[in-house]
Amino acid sequence: MDEDKNSSNLPPVDNTGDVAVPKNRQALFTPQPPEPVENTSDTGAQPKTSAYLSHPYLSNHPTQTFNTDTGDIILNSSEPKPKQNKRPFIIGGVILAAVVAICLVVLLLIQVISKPSQADVSKSFDIFKNYIEYGPDNSGSEDNWFLFQLVDFEYTDSDKNEYTKKASELFTDFREKLNASGIDLGGNINGLIATEESLFNFAVVLINIDSVMQPLIESYMSDGIDAAKGKITQVVPQESNSEFRNGFRNALIEYITSTLEIYDFYKRNYCIDDGSVNNECVALLDNDENYAELLARNDKHSSTLQRYFSRLETELRACTSAIQEGINE
């Protein structure tokens, strides 16, 4: 009886399969058909992405996993970096080093090729010596050097300036070649070269004494006698350790000073017109004692200069010959 009651409470069972399922009980798992996917091609809507790919970085940088020796899994969210090829840098460095080495070699070759030899130095001095001895037209001789002939009045001031300028350029060319060559001629020859240059400068000043006086006279005419005398030391060679050359320098200063005093006398006696000496006016001063004294003093200084110049000839000849022999040894 009890069994009948219990069984009567159970829902009826369909015996359609191996396992009986009550008709009114809901199944624990009922397969559902897939939801229809919304077509977004016509509406322009963006397709839905999975939740783990919703971040922009993760969307553009897919996650990669790497297994280690210990079995751990390492997540790598960055793109693998390509391995740099160092070969172009190595090749470029080698090429650059080669170019630098070639440039250095070329520069050394240019220096070696352009560096004056002893023969070049000797030749440049021979050219200078030949010019001051014989001149551009061979008018000089061993006994009467062309340079010393320029003191004579037969040469114009323009000619004197031209010839002495050319001689100065030749001596400068010799000095430059000697310095560039790096040749050590020794203290004795180097001392003679310095003496040669000083003696030559004294000769040039005396040869061009009228041209040297001109700016001093212009200074006198514009600023007075004292201003002109103050500039005398600027136009004569500087002092040296040579007694002879210092004496020559003092003789030049005294001669130039006395010449300026004569011009001052002319001006005070109205014998200068528009900066030029009026010779007719000067002739009227012949009987003036002060003028005669000025002329006598000037003649004395001129004679002193001539004596110094004669000794300069001797010293310049000897010095020039000694240098030529020393360079050619």
Side-chain angles (χ1 to χ4, degrees):
M1 186 69 178
D2 293 333
E3 293 178 357
D4 295 336
K5 289 180 181 180
N6 292 334
S7 60
S8 63
N9 294 328
L10 296 173
V13 177
D14 291 335
N15 294 324
T16 59
D18 294 336
V19 180
V21 179
K23 290 183 178 181
N24 297 331
R25 180 176 296 179
Q26 186 175 359
L28 297 177
F29 174 78
T30 304
Q32 300 294 326
E35 296 180 1
V37 178
E38 184 178 356
N39 187 359
T40 60
S41 59
D42 295 333
T43 61
Q46 296 296 327
K48 294 182 180 180
T49 59
S50 301
Y52 66 88
L53 293 179
S54 61
H55 195 280
Y57 177 83
L58 295 178
S59 300
N60 297 325
H61 300 80
T63 302
Q64 297 180 0
T65 62
F66 299 92
N67 293 329
T68 65
D69 294 337
T70 60
D72 297 332
I73 298 177
I74 301 176
L75 296 180
N76 182 15
S77 298
S78 61
E79 292 182 354
K81 296 181 179 180
K83 201 170 184 180
Q84 293 184 351
N85 187 358
K86 297 182 179 180
R87 182 176 297 176
F89 297 100
I90 297 174
I91 296 175
V94 172
I95 294 175
L96 179 61
V99 172
V100 172
I102 292 173
C103 292
L104 291 175
V105 172
V106 171
L107 288 175
L108 290 175
L109 289 175
I110 292 175
Q111 290 180 356
V112 171
I113 294 174
S114 61
K115 189 176 183 179
S117 64
Q118 185 165 354
D120 296 329
V121 175
S122 177
K123 181 179 179 181
S124 64
F125 186 80
D126 290 343
I127 293 174
F128 165 73
K129 180 180 181 295
N130 185 76
Y131 188 87
I132 63 175
E133 184 174 357
Y134 296 103
D137 53 0
N138 291 324
S139 59
S141 63
E142 294 182 3
D143 298 329
N144 187 16
W145 282 19
F146 170 74
L147 181 67
F148 306 137
Q149 294 178 6
L150 294 177
V151 180
D152 297 337
F153 292 105
E154 64 183 58
Y155 291 95
T156 64
D157 291 343
S158 178
D159 290 339
K160 292 178 181 180
N161 289 329
E162 178 183 351
Y163 294 141
T164 54
K165 180 180 179 181
K166 178 63 177 179
S168 298
E169 292 174 351
L170 293 176
F171 186 81
T172 299
D173 180 69
F174 156 69
R175 290 298 298 263
E176 290 177 350
K177 281 186 170 59
L178 177 61
N179 294 335
S181 69
I183 298 173
D184 185 10
L185 299 175
N188 185 36
I189 300 300
N190 288 332
L192 288 174
I193 293 174
T195 300
E196 175 91 2
E197 185 174 14
S198 180
L199 293 173
F200 176 73
N201 289 336
F202 272 100
V204 170
V205 170
L206 187 58
I207 291 170
N208 296 293
I209 192 64
D210 291 338
S211 298
V212 170
M213 286 289 306
Q214 190 59 39
L216 298 177
I217 294 173
E218 293 175 356
S219 177
Y220 160 72
M221 298 297 295
S222 60
D223 303 322
I225 187 69
D226 293 335
K229 287 182 178 180
K231 296 179 180 180
I232 294 177
T233 56
Q234 300 176 12
V235 299
V236 298
Q238 300 301 312
E239 292 181 335
S240 65
N241 56 359
S242 168
E243 182 179 356
F244 163 68
R245 278 171 275 161
N246 286 337
F248 200 161
R249 180 175 184 271
N250 292 332
L252 278 170
I253 292 175
E254 291 174 351
Y255 175 78
I256 294 173
T257 300
S258 67
T259 303
L260 288 175
E261 291 173 348
I262 292 175
Y263 269 86
D264 183 55
F265 186 81
Y266 290 158
K267 185 177 181 180
R268 287 187 282 110
N269 286 272
Y270 307 100
C271 292
I272 295 181
D273 297 329
D274 296 330
S276 300
V277 177
N278 187 329
N279 293 325
E280 294 181 358
C281 178
V282 170
L284 300 176
L285 302 175
D286 289 342
N287 297 326
D288 190 295
E289 294 181 359
N290 293 328
Y291 179 56
E293 183 178 349
L294 288 173
L295 290 179
R297 188 185 306 154
N298 187 262
D299 289 341
K300 178 182 178 181
H301 294 315
S302 178
S303 299
T304 302
L305 278 180
Q306 290 296 329
R307 290 196 300 270
Y308 273 105
F309 191 73
S310 295
R311 180 177 171 181
L312 182 142
E313 289 187 36
T314 302
E315 293 200 5
L316 189 59
R317 289 173 188 270
C319 189
T320 304
S321 299
I323 292 172
Q324 188 177 45
E325 293 176 1
I327 294 176
N328 293 328
E329 287 182 352

